Amino acid sequence: MAKRLLKGGRVVDPAAGQDGELDLLIEDGRIVAVGRELPVPDGVQVIAVPRGFIIVPGLIDMHVHLREPGQEHKETIATGVASAVAGGFTAVACMPNTSPINDNAGVTGFILEKAREAGLARVYPIGAVTRGSAGEQLADIAELHAAGCVAITDDGHPVATSLIMRRALEYTRMFDLPVIDHCEDPSLKGDGVAHEGFQAAALGLRGIPGAAEEIMVARDVTLAAMTGGYVHIAHMSARGSLDAVRVGKDRAARVTCEVAPHHFTLTDESLERPIKYDTNCKMNPPLREGADMEAMIGGIRDGTVDVIATDHAPHHADEKHVEFDRAPFGIVGLETCVPLVFDRLVHRGIITMPRFVELLSLNPARILRRQGGTLTAGAAADITVLAPDARVTIRAAALRSKSKNTPFDGWELRGAAAATIVGGRTVFVNDSVTGADVFA
Ligand SMILES: [Zn+2]
């Protein structure tokens, strides 16, 4: 593969202690040199990075639903990774709630093969905690690990039984795998469809209290401390969950957590306006009230939150165009994440660019023990180029994802992914924010 030199961008790489104008030399899919005003060897393709653009280690979304095998009408691995690279992600970790469930090496191998064929973002499969994610018997975790799974979870559902969670945390220590939990007490969640509060009451929707999540987070933190296992809390939404995570971290339990962009941008008031009963505002955990959203922003600011992950959950329009009660939970997120993080967090002074990189690249790489998260010499050339000041308007119809279920249609935001480079190869260029062919 040709040598390429990325010249003149602001490189932000907190793991390497770098933040400044640096050049990056790429050869054979790897970064071979990083430095100021690098010499230009013969035969090198020089890419002049436009002024004001920022170069960061490739973004990693550790919580996506790619729907294949089994629900290809919502998304396929090919369309999912196309959506990922269009959103600036060089890697995604995909949840096992496919059909069949990814609870064995056959399904894991199928996902990896489809990802290889698609050849865009890297795909890291996550296996199930229990057989069929039924919550009864542990899956063959050794087999899943050997097949390439990077974590286990029964996402979509919690690991409801404390004893099974205990055994999962104990057993995964052998493989150093995190157990990712969708925290929700099933009896408290009941058949709720929205956050239990004023809005749900006013709209006549059955509620899911914040406590349903908080109780499960507290349990998981307790079990992580007891077993020495590693728990990662998925898509946190309720303010009390942050308190539980803080207690765990203070006690040196192995616990990390993530927040999805919709939980730091929207509240349950979106159920009322601009569109009443908009099923694109139905997700699990639900959009909560203002104090919860502010708490998530606070946790992102103070470092309690380790990761921003999208919980990309594609659903076909026909499935969402039904009564609120009957609609499936979830929204797509890969292509709206970077603009939301810039607009709501970076430009408002909530986070710095080094923290942006920690939340969206370094920490996911560390938690899943994958390459990436840094741009030092020798690392794979997985690179995201960002245009922090680009003005974008989200257009649901224009999303690369096969599904268009987003509550952000028409939103005007500042900040975008400009180009995505995986293994030294440019796999996406955002023509609307870069001059033509800059990264080709
Ligand atoms: Zn979930």
Side-chain angles (χ1 to χ4, degrees):
M1 194 186 286
K3 295 181 186 176
R4 314 176 80 192
L5 184 71
L6 283 177
K7 199 158 186 59
R10 173 186 168 194
V11 173
V12 180
D13 182 2
Q18 299 277 27
D19 184 354
E21 278 221 356
L22 297 169
D23 299 344
L24 287 178
L25 184 63
I26 300 166
E27 188 178 344
D28 293 332
R30 303 212 153 257
I31 294 164
V32 292
V34 185
R36 210 170 280 277
E37 304 285 339
L38 289 179
V40 184
D42 285 345
V44 164
Q45 177 202 3
V46 177
I47 299 167
V49 179
R51 209 151 210 24
F53 281 26
I54 301 176
I55 295 170
V56 298
L59 306 185
I60 302 169
D61 188 347
M62 65 178 287
H63 193 140
V64 307
H65 298 270
L66 294 179
R67 304 300 191 205
E68 191 179 2
Q71 295 189 301
E72 291 84 355
H73 64 290
K74 298 174 193 261
E75 193 83 285
T76 64
I77 290 167
T79 60
V81 292
S83 178
V85 298
F89 292 96
T90 57
V92 295
C94 60
M95 292 294 159
N97 62 336
T98 46
S99 183
I101 299 273
N102 182 15
D103 64 358
N104 65 78
V107 178
T108 306
F110 170 85
I111 293 167
L112 288 169
E113 183 52 35
K114 287 284 174 183
R116 245 190 311 275
E117 283 171 21
L120 294 170
R122 300 182 197 274
V123 174
Y124 304 136
I126 297 176
V129 176
T130 60
R131 285 181 204 279
S133 283
E136 285 163 9
Q137 261 184 305
L138 283 185
D140 192 334
I141 296 165
E143 174 184 314
L144 290 167
H145 175 248
C149 286
V150 298
I152 56 169
T153 186
D154 279 345
D155 186 55
H157 301 283
V159 179
T161 308
S162 300
L163 179 62
I164 299 252
M165 189 62 175
R166 174 189 177 175
R167 295 293 181 233
L169 286 164
E170 287 170 341
Y171 193 47
T172 47
R173 287 185 60 185
M174 212 188 298
F175 313 102
D176 217 10
L177 282 179
V179 181
I180 300 173
D181 202 14
H182 165 124
C183 286
E184 165 184 281
D185 179 295
S187 64
L188 282 177
K189 188 219 169 198
D191 51 6
V193 294
H195 172 64
E196 183 177 306
F198 173 81
Q199 290 296 341
L203 294 166
L205 296 172
R206 289 185 301 274
I208 306 172
E213 177 181 297
E214 293 162 359
I215 285 170
M216 212 52 132
V217 175
R219 181 205 72 174
D220 284 355
V221 168
T222 302
L223 290 174
M226 171 187 166
T227 59
Y230 186 163
V231 67
H232 176 81
I233 311 295
H235 45 50
M236 269 191 353
S237 65
R239 53 194 188 269
S241 302
L242 281 163
D243 298 331
V245 167
R246 286 188 186 107
V247 167
K249 288 186 171 187
D250 284 347
R251 292 183 189 157
R254 298 171 72 206
V255 53
T256 50
C257 66
E258 74 194 26
V259 169
H262 45 273
H263 285 125
F264 64 76
T265 49
L266 297 172
T267 69
D268 58 354
E269 288 185 18
S270 299
L271 301 174
E272 223 263 320
R273 63 181 173 273
I275 305 166
K276 217 170 192 176
Y277 301 108
D278 182 359
T279 57
N280 285 330
C281 293
K282 181 177 177 182
M283 54 283 273
N284 188 14
L287 297 177
R288 298 204 184 269
E289 54 202 58
D292 294 297
M293 186 187 78
E294 290 304 326
M296 293 309 122
I297 294 170
I300 290 168
R301 189 202 315 256
D302 72 18
T304 306
V305 173
D306 301 279
V307 168
I308 291 172
T310 69
D311 193 8
H312 179 81
H315 292 292
H316 194 274
D318 292 348
E319 296 164 313
K320 279 288 200 181
H321 286 177
V322 294
E323 295 88 331
F324 196 89
D325 265 2
R326 292 175 51 217
F329 293 102
I331 62 168
V332 291
L334 284 163
E335 293 165 75
T336 48
C337 178
V338 164
L340 289 167
V341 171
F342 266 119
D343 198 272
R344 296 306 157 110
L345 301 179
V346 177
H347 292 314
R348 293 184 181 185
I350 309 291
I351 60 169
T352 61
M353 281 311 298
R355 180 83 178 120
F356 178 114
V357 174
E358 280 177 18
L359 288 160
L360 283 150
S361 180
L362 179 58
N363 288 345
R366 283 182 175 163
I367 290 165
L368 301 176
R369 290 169 182 78
R370 295 298 96 187
Q371 62 182 356
T374 185
L375 295 172
T376 43
D382 289 3
I383 298 165
T384 303
V385 184
L386 300 166
D389 294 312
R391 304 265 171 190
V392 296
T393 304
I394 306 294
R395 296 284 177 218
L399 296 176
R400 260 82 164 176
S401 171
K402 205 168 198 177
S403 293
K404 318 295 178 192
N405 51 314
T406 176
F408 302 113
D409 189 30
W411 280 39
E412 293 174 8
L413 300 164
R414 182 156 68 101
T420 309
I421 297 169
V422 177
R425 197 164 60 92
T426 301
V427 291
F428 170 76
V429 178
N430 187 342
D431 294 325
S432 66
V433 305
T434 61
D437 300 337
V438 173
F439 297 96

